[in-house]
Amino acid sequence: MKEIRSFIKSASLTDLEKAQALIENAIAKYTQQQQAKQEVLDLLREKGLTLDDLQDVAGDKRTKVMPKYRIEFEGKIVEWTGRGKRPKAFQGVELTKHLA
């Protein structure tokens, strides 16, 4: 707000009119977006849906890969799918001995 007050004090009439037009456009756009959001929420309520119902549709489509290898390392069980960089627990280890 300090920047706006400073601008108002030092701006010319044409600059103020341009700023007023920009602000009016921003307010109109914001108002339209709020109305659109309310219409969507009203439609969801009318159909008996929630926002969570919509998020389930667009969920993660990657499949979960089961671990292929399992080893105890420093008192913890470490599992690895065999994909990506080999974890420290599996460095220099015969993998066939640790199949899950």
Side-chain angles (χ1 to χ4, degrees):
M1 289 304 270
K2 290 179 182 180
E3 295 88 5
I4 295 172
R5 287 187 184 117
S6 174
F7 170 75
I8 291 171
K9 288 179 183 178
S10 63
S12 67
L13 179 61
T14 56
D15 288 339
L16 290 172
E17 289 171 343
K18 288 178 185 177
Q20 182 181 13
L22 289 172
I23 291 172
E24 288 172 356
N25 288 338
I27 291 171
K29 185 175 181 179
Y30 179 82
T31 304
Q32 288 174 348
Q33 288 177 344
Q34 293 302 314
Q35 289 173 347
K37 286 179 187 178
Q38 191 58 49
E39 289 173 11
V40 170
L41 291 174
D42 291 342
L43 181 62
L44 285 173
R45 274 190 225 108
E46 178 183 318
K47 299 294 181 180
L49 297 171
T50 64
L51 290 175
D52 293 334
D53 295 332
L54 297 179
Q55 290 174 347
D56 289 342
V57 173
D60 192 3
K61 294 181 180 168
R62 294 179 291 176
T63 58
K64 178 79 173 160
V65 178
M66 298 302 294
K68 189 172 181 181
Y69 306 103
R70 184 176 295 125
I71 191 171
E72 186 174 336
F73 182 73
E74 296 179 357
K76 297 180 181 177
I77 300 294
V78 178
E79 295 180 327
W80 181 44
T81 62
R83 297 182 180 181
K85 186 177 177 183
R86 187 183 286 216
K88 287 182 182 179
F90 292 98
Q91 298 290 334
V93 172
E94 177 82 31
L95 292 178
T96 55
K97 294 179 182 177
H98 300 286
L99 290 171

